[in-house]
Amino acid sequence: HRDLHYPLRRQRQMCIRDRFYSRNRIIGMIESKKPKISLTSRSSEVGILRKEIAKSRRHKPLRRLFSEISSLVFVLKPCFMMSPLSVARFIDPEVMQFDTVIFDEASQVMVEDAISSIIRSKQAIIVGDSKQLPPTMFFKVNEDIDVEEGLEEAPSILDEASSALGMHMLRWHYRSRDESLISFSNRHFYNNRLVTFPSSRADSFGIGFVHVEDGMYDRGGTRQNRVEAKKIVRLVKEHFDKYPEKSLGVIAFSIAQQQAIIEELDLFLERNPSYTRFMNGDGQRSFFIKNLETVQGDEREVVILSIGYGRDESGNLSLNFGPLNREGGVKRLNVAISRAIERVIVVSSILPEEIDESRTSSEGMHMLKRYLEYARSGTVYSSEGDASAPQNDLQEA
């Protein structure tokens, strides 16, 4: 068993090493091209930039400055990372042209926002996942309807490009360190086309299921599940008690439930200020509490999912689960369940069998039921056939 997995470990180590040296080689090449800054030059682009840096006020607009130092700016910064709207604001297409523009998370970029970047470049590389969130415009219909229910989806530059140009699938899945974390999405969203890797432990299952038996969804009022929110906070505490070095994110299935968790966490931190240090990080390892609409692109080692919806105080279960019921709800679910690197903890006030598929035509609700069943089962999906049967020599070994 150890010998079988040694080549995989060795390849991963070599990949990390190669990426380290490649990254630093590129940095070295860029640094070697930077001009020597003259202390006396005033007429060159270097002089213009130095003069602007020395100012304490009345700075030139960046669009004008970039136009005046259009050659120098690419030497200093050969790669710009900007939002599409910033490109339109700061880059004059008559003066500055890029060799290549790359769109990341292109499924969320509207066509009209993307055009301004495309016309400033010789070629475009458009990268995104059609099984994840499209651009969404929010509007609130009235106070009696969830904010998440007022959604209008717009076509993305990914939609337009893939239909006009075709696409190439990037198949290797690199995020999940436990195959169970991506197995559900691979089966239901990607037709088992992703290349994934079995975990080193045969009994490994990276998803936990926590049933909040006394959870109650305040459907006619706050649209929150306070009991479940309190449970989430207890799980956050347990996580940082046991694994303070591991990053953590909480994803709520509605904005209202996100707010409930934030409020309960604030109450906990008032009583336990020592935990505040875990909340103050930044970057890709910082703690977050987000909702389905805002979590795309994030990843954390451990992710807690709060379903939030459930039976009301009368014991009735409405199958109106906000954005999950809407067109594109199934994509929101796919985003939420694929954010974790090592482990997902699903917290739900309902059991999968309580979702009566005959009462709803929502694809998102049907898929949620299957995911809850999967999370509770503790069994990784195989690519085909019996999930318990090994599909190849590697799995059998």
Side-chain angles (χ1 to χ4, degrees), residues 241-275:
D241 286 342
K242 295 179 180 178
Y243 312 107
E245 76 287 355
K246 292 187 183 296
S247 59
L248 175 66
V250 176
I251 304 174
F253 275 43
S254 71
I255 297 174
Q257 186 63 12
Q258 175 193 14
Q259 187 59 38
I261 297 169
I262 291 172
E263 291 170 0
E264 290 297 333
L265 182 62
D266 287 343
L267 292 173
F268 170 78
L269 293 175
E270 287 179 8
R271 298 188 298 268
N272 304 272
S274 62
Y275 286 85

PDB file of all heavy atoms in Angstrom, residues 241-275:
ATOM      1  N   ASP A 241     -10.759  25.018  18.478  1.00  0.00           N
ATOM      2  CA  ASP A 241     -10.187  24.331  19.644  1.00  0.00           C
ATOM      3  C   ASP A 241      -9.302  23.165  19.211  1.00  0.00           C
ATOM      4  O   ASP A 241      -8.221  22.943  19.763  1.00  0.00           O
ATOM      5  CB  ASP A 241     -11.303  23.809  20.557  1.00  0.00           C
ATOM      6  CG  ASP A 241     -11.981  24.908  21.352  1.00  0.00           C
ATOM      7  OD1 ASP A 241     -11.396  26.006  21.474  1.00  0.00           O
ATOM      8  OD2 ASP A 241     -13.097  24.670  21.855  1.00  0.00           O
ATOM      9  N   LYS A 242      -9.751  22.424  18.200  1.00  0.00           N
ATOM     10  CA  LYS A 242      -9.039  21.221  17.768  1.00  0.00           C
ATOM     11  C   LYS A 242      -8.010  21.492  16.670  1.00  0.00           C
ATOM     12  O   LYS A 242      -6.939  20.893  16.645  1.00  0.00           O
ATOM     13  CB  LYS A 242     -10.045  20.173  17.269  1.00  0.00           C
ATOM     14  CG  LYS A 242     -10.978  19.648  18.340  1.00  0.00           C
ATOM     15  CD  LYS A 242     -11.960  18.631  17.742  1.00  0.00           C
ATOM     16  CE  LYS A 242     -12.913  18.086  18.777  1.00  0.00           C
ATOM     17  NZ  LYS A 242     -13.887  17.126  18.183  1.00  0.00           N
ATOM     18  N   TYR A 243      -8.375  22.384  15.730  1.00  0.00           N
ATOM     19  CA  TYR A 243      -7.520  22.598  14.560  1.00  0.00           C
ATOM     20  C   TYR A 243      -7.287  24.089  14.328  1.00  0.00           C
ATOM     21  O   TYR A 243      -7.698  24.643  13.293  1.00  0.00           O
ATOM     22  CB  TYR A 243      -8.164  21.977  13.312  1.00  0.00           C
ATOM     23  CG  TYR A 243      -8.667  20.570  13.503  1.00  0.00           C
ATOM     24  CD1 TYR A 243     -10.035  20.311  13.582  1.00  0.00           C
ATOM     25  CD2 TYR A 243      -7.786  19.500  13.608  1.00  0.00           C
ATOM     26  CE1 TYR A 243     -10.505  19.015  13.760  1.00  0.00           C
ATOM     27  CE2 TYR A 243      -8.244  18.214  13.784  1.00  0.00           C
ATOM     28  CZ  TYR A 243      -9.615  17.973  13.860  1.00  0.00           C
ATOM     29  OH  TYR A 243     -10.074  16.701  14.028  1.00  0.00           O
ATOM     30  N   PRO A 244      -6.638  24.775  15.237  1.00  0.00           N
ATOM     31  CA  PRO A 244      -6.454  26.228  15.077  1.00  0.00           C
ATOM     32  C   PRO A 244      -5.630  26.604  13.851  1.00  0.00           C
ATOM     33  O   PRO A 244      -5.716  27.737  13.374  1.00  0.00           O
ATOM     34  CB  PRO A 244      -5.743  26.629  16.375  1.00  0.00           C
ATOM     35  CG  PRO A 244      -5.084  25.373  16.859  1.00  0.00           C
ATOM     36  CD  PRO A 244      -6.000  24.260  16.468  1.00  0.00           C
ATOM     37  N   GLU A 245      -4.865  25.651  13.326  1.00  0.00           N
ATOM     38  CA  GLU A 245      -4.011  25.946  12.173  1.00  0.00           C
ATOM     39  C   GLU A 245      -4.742  25.786  10.845  1.00  0.00           C
ATOM     40  O   GLU A 245      -4.220  26.194   9.802  1.00  0.00           O
ATOM     41  CB  GLU A 245      -2.784  25.026  12.186  1.00  0.00           C
ATOM     42  CG  GLU A 245      -3.011  23.595  11.753  1.00  0.00           C
ATOM     43  CD  GLU A 245      -3.761  22.718  12.765  1.00  0.00           C
ATOM     44  OE1 GLU A 245      -4.033  23.204  13.878  1.00  0.00           O
ATOM     45  OE2 GLU A 245      -4.056  21.549  12.441  1.00  0.00           O
ATOM     46  N   LYS A 246      -5.932  25.218  10.859  1.00  0.00           N
ATOM     47  CA  LYS A 246      -6.664  24.957   9.618  1.00  0.00           C
ATOM     48  C   LYS A 246      -7.660  26.080   9.328  1.00  0.00           C
ATOM     49  O   LYS A 246      -8.389  26.525  10.214  1.00  0.00           O
ATOM     50  CB  LYS A 246      -7.405  23.614   9.696  1.00  0.00           C
ATOM     51  CG  LYS A 246      -6.471  22.404   9.728  1.00  0.00           C
ATOM     52  CD  LYS A 246      -7.248  21.121   9.629  1.00  0.00           C
ATOM     53  CE  LYS A 246      -6.336  19.901   9.723  1.00  0.00           C
ATOM     54  NZ  LYS A 246      -5.402  19.836   8.587  1.00  0.00           N
ATOM     55  N   SER A 247      -7.721  26.492   8.069  1.00  0.00           N
ATOM     56  CA  SER A 247      -8.640  27.560   7.669  1.00  0.00           C
ATOM     57  C   SER A 247     -10.080  27.048   7.665  1.00  0.00           C
ATOM     58  O   SER A 247     -10.338  25.861   7.450  1.00  0.00           O
ATOM     59  CB  SER A 247      -8.260  28.098   6.292  1.00  0.00           C
ATOM     60  OG  SER A 247      -8.284  27.071   5.321  1.00  0.00           O
ATOM     61  N   LEU A 248     -11.022  27.970   7.897  1.00  0.00           N
ATOM     62  CA  LEU A 248     -12.430  27.595   8.042  1.00  0.00           C
ATOM     63  C   LEU A 248     -13.322  28.615   7.354  1.00  0.00           C
ATOM     64  O   LEU A 248     -13.079  29.826   7.419  1.00  0.00           O
ATOM     65  CB  LEU A 248     -12.807  27.517   9.525  1.00  0.00           C
ATOM     66  CG  LEU A 248     -14.280  27.249   9.861  1.00  0.00           C
ATOM     67  CD1 LEU A 248     -14.693  25.851   9.410  1.00  0.00           C
ATOM     68  CD2 LEU A 248     -14.530  27.418  11.356  1.00  0.00           C
ATOM     69  N   GLY A 249     -14.362  28.132   6.689  1.00  0.00           N
ATOM     70  CA  GLY A 249     -15.371  28.997   6.106  1.00  0.00           C
ATOM     71  C   GLY A 249     -16.754  28.452   6.399  1.00  0.00           C
ATOM     72  O   GLY A 249     -16.945  27.235   6.492  1.00  0.00           O
ATOM     73  N   VAL A 250     -17.732  29.348   6.562  1.00  0.00           N
ATOM     74  CA  VAL A 250     -19.124  28.963   6.786  1.00  0.00           C
ATOM     75  C   VAL A 250     -19.948  29.483   5.614  1.00  0.00           C
ATOM     76  O   VAL A 250     -19.860  30.663   5.260  1.00  0.00           O
ATOM     77  CB  VAL A 250     -19.671  29.539   8.111  1.00  0.00           C
ATOM     78  CG1 VAL A 250     -21.149  29.203   8.267  1.00  0.00           C
ATOM     79  CG2 VAL A 250     -18.863  29.021   9.301  1.00  0.00           C
ATOM     80  N   ILE A 251     -20.748  28.607   5.017  1.00  0.00           N
ATOM     81  CA  ILE A 251     -21.609  28.983   3.894  1.00  0.00           C
ATOM     82  C   ILE A 251     -23.057  28.761   4.285  1.00  0.00           C
ATOM     83  O   ILE A 251     -23.451  27.635   4.616  1.00  0.00           O
ATOM     84  CB  ILE A 251     -21.283  28.161   2.634  1.00  0.00           C
ATOM     85  CG1 ILE A 251     -19.805  28.296   2.258  1.00  0.00           C
ATOM     86  CG2 ILE A 251     -22.170  28.600   1.465  1.00  0.00           C
ATOM     87  CD1 ILE A 251     -19.372  27.395   1.119  1.00  0.00           C
ATOM     88  N   ALA A 252     -23.841  29.831   4.265  1.00  0.00           N
ATOM     89  CA  ALA A 252     -25.271  29.744   4.541  1.00  0.00           C
ATOM     90  C   ALA A 252     -26.034  29.705   3.225  1.00  0.00           C
ATOM     91  O   ALA A 252     -25.620  30.309   2.236  1.00  0.00           O
ATOM     92  CB  ALA A 252     -25.722  30.927   5.384  1.00  0.00           C
ATOM     93  N   PHE A 253     -27.178  29.014   3.233  1.00  0.00           N
ATOM     94  CA  PHE A 253     -27.956  28.890   2.005  1.00  0.00           C
ATOM     95  C   PHE A 253     -28.868  30.083   1.765  1.00  0.00           C
ATOM     96  O   PHE A 253     -29.615  30.089   0.792  1.00  0.00           O
ATOM     97  CB  PHE A 253     -28.763  27.586   2.037  1.00  0.00           C
ATOM     98  CG  PHE A 253     -27.985  26.389   1.558  1.00  0.00           C
ATOM     99  CD1 PHE A 253     -26.660  26.197   1.945  1.00  0.00           C
ATOM    100  CD2 PHE A 253     -28.560  25.447   0.725  1.00  0.00           C
ATOM    101  CE1 PHE A 253     -25.930  25.105   1.515  1.00  0.00           C
ATOM    102  CE2 PHE A 253     -27.839  24.349   0.282  1.00  0.00           C
ATOM    103  CZ  PHE A 253     -26.521  24.180   0.680  1.00  0.00           C
ATOM    104  N   SER A 254     -28.837  31.072   2.641  1.00  0.00           N
ATOM    105  CA  SER A 254     -29.626  32.285   2.430  1.00  0.00           C
ATOM    106  C   SER A 254     -28.922  33.453   3.105  1.00  0.00           C
ATOM    107  O   SER A 254     -28.118  33.266   4.035  1.00  0.00           O
ATOM    108  CB  SER A 254     -31.040  32.136   3.001  1.00  0.00           C
ATOM    109  OG  SER A 254     -31.011  32.138   4.420  1.00  0.00           O
ATOM    110  N   ILE A 255     -29.238  34.656   2.662  1.00  0.00           N
ATOM    111  CA  ILE A 255     -28.671  35.855   3.270  1.00  0.00           C
ATOM    112  C   ILE A 255     -29.172  36.001   4.703  1.00  0.00           C
ATOM    113  O   ILE A 255     -28.422  36.391   5.610  1.00  0.00           O
ATOM    114  CB  ILE A 255     -29.016  37.103   2.439  1.00  0.00           C
ATOM    115  CG1 ILE A 255     -28.381  37.007   1.047  1.00  0.00           C
ATOM    116  CG2 ILE A 255     -28.563  38.378   3.128  1.00  0.00           C
ATOM    117  CD1 ILE A 255     -28.786  38.121   0.102  1.00  0.00           C
ATOM    118  N   ALA A 256     -30.448  35.673   4.927  1.00  0.00           N
ATOM    119  CA  ALA A 256     -31.018  35.785   6.271  1.00  0.00           C
ATOM    120  C   ALA A 256     -30.302  34.849   7.244  1.00  0.00           C
ATOM    121  O   ALA A 256     -30.003  35.231   8.394  1.00  0.00           O
ATOM    122  CB  ALA A 256     -32.512  35.482   6.230  1.00  0.00           C
ATOM    123  N   GLN A 257     -30.012  33.617   6.809  1.00  0.00           N
ATOM    124  CA  GLN A 257     -29.317  32.682   7.687  1.00  0.00           C
ATOM    125  C   GLN A 257     -27.864  33.101   7.896  1.00  0.00           C
ATOM    126  O   GLN A 257     -27.306  32.918   8.989  1.00  0.00           O
ATOM    127  CB  GLN A 257     -29.387  31.270   7.107  1.00  0.00           C
ATOM    128  CG  GLN A 257     -28.813  30.181   8.016  1.00  0.00           C
ATOM    129  CD  GLN A 257     -29.570  30.025   9.325  1.00  0.00           C
ATOM    130  OE1 GLN A 257     -30.655  30.573   9.492  1.00  0.00           O
ATOM    131  NE2 GLN A 257     -29.006  29.283  10.253  1.00  0.00           N
ATOM    132  N   GLN A 258     -27.243  33.661   6.881  1.00  0.00           N
ATOM    133  CA  GLN A 258     -25.898  34.212   7.044  1.00  0.00           C
ATOM    134  C   GLN A 258     -25.884  35.259   8.146  1.00  0.00           C
ATOM    135  O   GLN A 258     -25.009  35.255   9.018  1.00  0.00           O
ATOM    136  CB  GLN A 258     -25.431  34.839   5.726  1.00  0.00           C
ATOM    137  CG  GLN A 258     -24.084  35.542   5.812  1.00  0.00           C
ATOM    138  CD  GLN A 258     -23.808  36.416   4.590  1.00  0.00           C
ATOM    139  OE1 GLN A 258     -24.705  36.712   3.807  1.00  0.00           O
ATOM    140  NE2 GLN A 258     -22.571  36.835   4.424  1.00  0.00           N
ATOM    141  N   GLN A 259     -26.872  36.160   8.143  1.00  0.00           N
ATOM    142  CA  GLN A 259     -26.947  37.205   9.155  1.00  0.00           C
ATOM    143  C   GLN A 259     -27.185  36.614  10.537  1.00  0.00           C
ATOM    144  O   GLN A 259     -26.612  37.092  11.529  1.00  0.00           O
ATOM    145  CB  GLN A 259     -28.068  38.192   8.806  1.00  0.00           C
ATOM    146  CG  GLN A 259     -28.129  39.416   9.714  1.00  0.00           C
ATOM    147  CD  GLN A 259     -26.846  40.225   9.701  1.00  0.00           C
ATOM    148  OE1 GLN A 259     -26.215  40.364   8.661  1.00  0.00           O
ATOM    149  NE2 GLN A 259     -26.456  40.754  10.854  1.00  0.00           N
ATOM    150  N   ALA A 260     -28.007  35.570  10.630  1.00  0.00           N
ATOM    151  CA  ALA A 260     -28.257  34.927  11.926  1.00  0.00           C
ATOM    152  C   ALA A 260     -26.968  34.345  12.505  1.00  0.00           C
ATOM    153  O   ALA A 260     -26.691  34.474  13.707  1.00  0.00           O
ATOM    154  CB  ALA A 260     -29.304  33.831  11.765  1.00  0.00           C
ATOM    155  N   ILE A 261     -26.163  33.714  11.657  1.00  0.00           N
ATOM    156  CA  ILE A 261     -24.898  33.123  12.123  1.00  0.00           C
ATOM    157  C   ILE A 261     -23.938  34.221  12.569  1.00  0.00           C
ATOM    158  O   ILE A 261     -23.259  34.092  13.606  1.00  0.00           O
ATOM    159  CB  ILE A 261     -24.278  32.263  11.013  1.00  0.00           C
ATOM    160  CG1 ILE A 261     -25.199  31.087  10.678  1.00  0.00           C
ATOM    161  CG2 ILE A 261     -22.898  31.754  11.429  1.00  0.00           C
ATOM    162  CD1 ILE A 261     -24.807  30.329   9.417  1.00  0.00           C
ATOM    163  N   ILE A 262     -23.873  35.319  11.806  1.00  0.00           N
ATOM    164  CA  ILE A 262     -23.001  36.441  12.179  1.00  0.00           C
ATOM    165  C   ILE A 262     -23.409  36.995  13.541  1.00  0.00           C
ATOM    166  O   ILE A 262     -22.554  37.257  14.413  1.00  0.00           O
ATOM    167  CB  ILE A 262     -23.063  37.547  11.100  1.00  0.00           C
ATOM    168  CG1 ILE A 262     -22.395  37.062   9.809  1.00  0.00           C
ATOM    169  CG2 ILE A 262     -22.386  38.830  11.598  1.00  0.00           C
ATOM    170  CD1 ILE A 262     -22.566  38.013   8.632  1.00  0.00           C
ATOM    171  N   GLU A 263     -24.711  37.163  13.763  1.00  0.00           N
ATOM    172  CA  GLU A 263     -25.188  37.714  15.031  1.00  0.00           C
ATOM    173  C   GLU A 263     -24.905  36.775  16.187  1.00  0.00           C
ATOM    174  O   GLU A 263     -24.492  37.220  17.271  1.00  0.00           O
ATOM    175  CB  GLU A 263     -26.692  38.005  14.924  1.00  0.00           C
ATOM    176  CG  GLU A 263     -27.019  39.162  13.988  1.00  0.00           C
ATOM    177  CD  GLU A 263     -28.500  39.291  13.705  1.00  0.00           C
ATOM    178  OE1 GLU A 263     -29.281  38.465  14.248  1.00  0.00           O
ATOM    179  OE2 GLU A 263     -28.895  40.193  12.933  1.00  0.00           O
ATOM    180  N   GLU A 264     -25.117  35.477  15.986  1.00  0.00           N
ATOM    181  CA  GLU A 264     -24.823  34.508  17.054  1.00  0.00           C
ATOM    182  C   GLU A 264     -23.328  34.439  17.338  1.00  0.00           C
ATOM    183  O   GLU A 264     -22.916  34.289  18.487  1.00  0.00           O
ATOM    184  CB  GLU A 264     -25.357  33.123  16.663  1.00  0.00           C
ATOM    185  CG  GLU A 264     -26.864  33.003  16.645  1.00  0.00           C
ATOM    186  CD  GLU A 264     -27.487  33.216  18.020  1.00  0.00           C
ATOM    187  OE1 GLU A 264     -26.818  32.949  19.035  1.00  0.00           O
ATOM    188  OE2 GLU A 264     -28.660  33.648  18.083  1.00  0.00           O
ATOM    189  N   LEU A 265     -22.515  34.561  16.312  1.00  0.00           N
ATOM    190  CA  LEU A 265     -21.062  34.555  16.521  1.00  0.00           C
ATOM    191  C   LEU A 265     -20.626  35.792  17.281  1.00  0.00           C
ATOM    192  O   LEU A 265     -19.753  35.713  18.156  1.00  0.00           O
ATOM    193  CB  LEU A 265     -20.343  34.473  15.173  1.00  0.00           C
ATOM    194  CG  LEU A 265     -18.813  34.412  15.245  1.00  0.00           C
ATOM    195  CD1 LEU A 265     -18.347  33.167  15.993  1.00  0.00           C
ATOM    196  CD2 LEU A 265     -18.198  34.445  13.852  1.00  0.00           C
ATOM    197  N   ASP A 266     -21.220  36.940  16.974  1.00  0.00           N
ATOM    198  CA  ASP A 266     -20.896  38.173  17.699  1.00  0.00           C
ATOM    199  C   ASP A 266     -21.214  38.021  19.178  1.00  0.00           C
ATOM    200  O   ASP A 266     -20.430  38.467  20.040  1.00  0.00           O
ATOM    201  CB  ASP A 266     -21.663  39.358  17.106  1.00  0.00           C
ATOM    202  CG  ASP A 266     -21.117  39.793  15.754  1.00  0.00           C
ATOM    203  OD1 ASP A 266     -19.978  39.404  15.430  1.00  0.00           O
ATOM    204  OD2 ASP A 266     -21.829  40.507  15.026  1.00  0.00           O
ATOM    205  N   LEU A 267     -22.360  37.411  19.489  1.00  0.00           N
ATOM    206  CA  LEU A 267     -22.727  37.181  20.896  1.00  0.00           C
ATOM    207  C   LEU A 267     -21.712  36.260  21.570  1.00  0.00           C
ATOM    208  O   LEU A 267     -21.313  36.477  22.719  1.00  0.00           O
ATOM    209  CB  LEU A 267     -24.127  36.579  20.982  1.00  0.00           C
ATOM    210  CG  LEU A 267     -25.293  37.496  20.575  1.00  0.00           C
ATOM    211  CD1 LEU A 267     -26.596  36.703  20.560  1.00  0.00           C
ATOM    212  CD2 LEU A 267     -25.395  38.688  21.527  1.00  0.00           C
ATOM    213  N   PHE A 268     -21.284  35.216  20.852  1.00  0.00           N
ATOM    214  CA  PHE A 268     -20.286  34.293  21.399  1.00  0.00           C
ATOM    215  C   PHE A 268     -18.958  35.005  21.660  1.00  0.00           C
ATOM    216  O   PHE A 268     -18.319  34.794  22.701  1.00  0.00           O
ATOM    217  CB  PHE A 268     -20.083  33.134  20.427  1.00  0.00           C
ATOM    218  CG  PHE A 268     -18.911  32.257  20.757  1.00  0.00           C
ATOM    219  CD1 PHE A 268     -18.989  31.305  21.762  1.00  0.00           C
ATOM    220  CD2 PHE A 268     -17.708  32.397  20.071  1.00  0.00           C
ATOM    221  CE1 PHE A 268     -17.898  30.503  22.077  1.00  0.00           C
ATOM    222  CE2 PHE A 268     -16.614  31.603  20.377  1.00  0.00           C
ATOM    223  CZ  PHE A 268     -16.714  30.651  21.379  1.00  0.00           C
ATOM    224  N   LEU A 269     -18.531  35.854  20.730  1.00  0.00           N
ATOM    225  CA  LEU A 269     -17.244  36.546  20.874  1.00  0.00           C
ATOM    226  C   LEU A 269     -17.275  37.566  22.012  1.00  0.00           C
ATOM    227  O   LEU A 269     -16.245  37.829  22.638  1.00  0.00           O
ATOM    228  CB  LEU A 269     -16.863  37.229  19.562  1.00  0.00           C
ATOM    229  CG  LEU A 269     -16.553  36.294  18.387  1.00  0.00           C
ATOM    230  CD1 LEU A 269     -16.299  37.090  17.115  1.00  0.00           C
ATOM    231  CD2 LEU A 269     -15.352  35.405  18.712  1.00  0.00           C
ATOM    232  N   GLU A 270     -18.454  38.145  22.284  1.00  0.00           N
ATOM    233  CA  GLU A 270     -18.563  39.056  23.430  1.00  0.00           C
ATOM    234  C   GLU A 270     -18.282  38.325  24.729  1.00  0.00           C
ATOM    235  O   GLU A 270     -17.657  38.878  25.640  1.00  0.00           O
ATOM    236  CB  GLU A 270     -19.967  39.672  23.473  1.00  0.00           C
ATOM    237  CG  GLU A 270     -20.225  40.719  22.394  1.00  0.00           C
ATOM    238  CD  GLU A 270     -21.633  41.274  22.485  1.00  0.00           C
ATOM    239  OE1 GLU A 270     -22.338  40.952  23.481  1.00  0.00           O
ATOM    240  OE2 GLU A 270     -22.042  42.009  21.567  1.00  0.00           O
ATOM    241  N   ARG A 271     -18.724  37.067  24.807  1.00  0.00           N
ATOM    242  CA  ARG A 271     -18.507  36.263  26.013  1.00  0.00           C
ATOM    243  C   ARG A 271     -17.155  35.562  25.996  1.00  0.00           C
ATOM    244  O   ARG A 271     -16.637  35.191  27.060  1.00  0.00           O
ATOM    245  CB  ARG A 271     -19.618  35.213  26.146  1.00  0.00           C
ATOM    246  CG  ARG A 271     -21.013  35.808  26.297  1.00  0.00           C
ATOM    247  CD  ARG A 271     -22.035  34.728  26.627  1.00  0.00           C
ATOM    248  NE  ARG A 271     -22.154  33.737  25.568  1.00  0.00           N
ATOM    249  CZ  ARG A 271     -23.027  33.798  24.576  1.00  0.00           C
ATOM    250  NH1 ARG A 271     -23.862  34.828  24.498  1.00  0.00           N
ATOM    251  NH2 ARG A 271     -23.080  32.846  23.669  1.00  0.00           N
ATOM    252  N   ASN A 272     -16.594  35.368  24.802  1.00  0.00           N
ATOM    253  CA  ASN A 272     -15.326  34.634  24.664  1.00  0.00           C
ATOM    254  C   ASN A 272     -14.383  35.404  23.744  1.00  0.00           C
ATOM    255  O   ASN A 272     -14.082  34.960  22.624  1.00  0.00           O
ATOM    256  CB  ASN A 272     -15.589  33.232  24.106  1.00  0.00           C
ATOM    257  CG  ASN A 272     -16.561  32.428  24.930  1.00  0.00           C
ATOM    258  OD1 ASN A 272     -16.181  31.744  25.874  1.00  0.00           O
ATOM    259  ND2 ASN A 272     -17.841  32.515  24.573  1.00  0.00           N
ATOM    260  N   PRO A 273     -13.890  36.558  24.192  1.00  0.00           N
ATOM    261  CA  PRO A 273     -13.075  37.417  23.313  1.00  0.00           C
ATOM    262  C   PRO A 273     -11.770  36.774  22.854  1.00  0.00           C
ATOM    263  O   PRO A 273     -11.183  37.230  21.875  1.00  0.00           O
ATOM    264  CB  PRO A 273     -12.816  38.651  24.175  1.00  0.00           C
ATOM    265  CG  PRO A 273     -13.022  38.192  25.584  1.00  0.00           C
ATOM    266  CD  PRO A 273     -14.081  37.145  25.526  1.00  0.00           C
ATOM    267  N   SER A 274     -11.318  35.727  23.532  1.00  0.00           N
ATOM    268  CA  SER A 274     -10.058  35.089  23.136  1.00  0.00           C
ATOM    269  C   SER A 274     -10.143  34.468  21.742  1.00  0.00           C
ATOM    270  O   SER A 274      -9.120  34.254  21.089  1.00  0.00           O
ATOM    271  CB  SER A 274      -9.670  34.012  24.153  1.00  0.00           C
ATOM    272  OG  SER A 274     -10.643  32.978  24.206  1.00  0.00           O
ATOM    273  N   TYR A 275     -11.360  34.172  21.272  1.00  0.00           N
ATOM    274  CA  TYR A 275     -11.521  33.569  19.946  1.00  0.00           C
ATOM    275  C   TYR A 275     -11.491  34.609  18.828  1.00  0.00           C
ATOM    276  O   TYR A 275     -11.487  34.239  17.650  1.00  0.00           O
ATOM    277  CB  TYR A 275     -12.831  32.778  19.880  1.00  0.00           C
ATOM    278  CG  TYR A 275     -12.783  31.473  20.628  1.00  0.00           C
ATOM    279  CD1 TYR A 275     -13.039  31.427  21.991  1.00  0.00           C
ATOM    280  CD2 TYR A 275     -12.460  30.284  19.985  1.00  0.00           C
ATOM    281  CE1 TYR A 275     -12.997  30.229  22.699  1.00  0.00           C
ATOM    282  CE2 TYR A 275     -12.402  29.081  20.675  1.00  0.00           C
ATOM    283  CZ  TYR A 275     -12.670  29.055  22.030  1.00  0.00           C
ATOM    284  OH  TYR A 275     -12.606  27.868  22.721  1.00  0.00           O
TER     285      TYR A 275
END
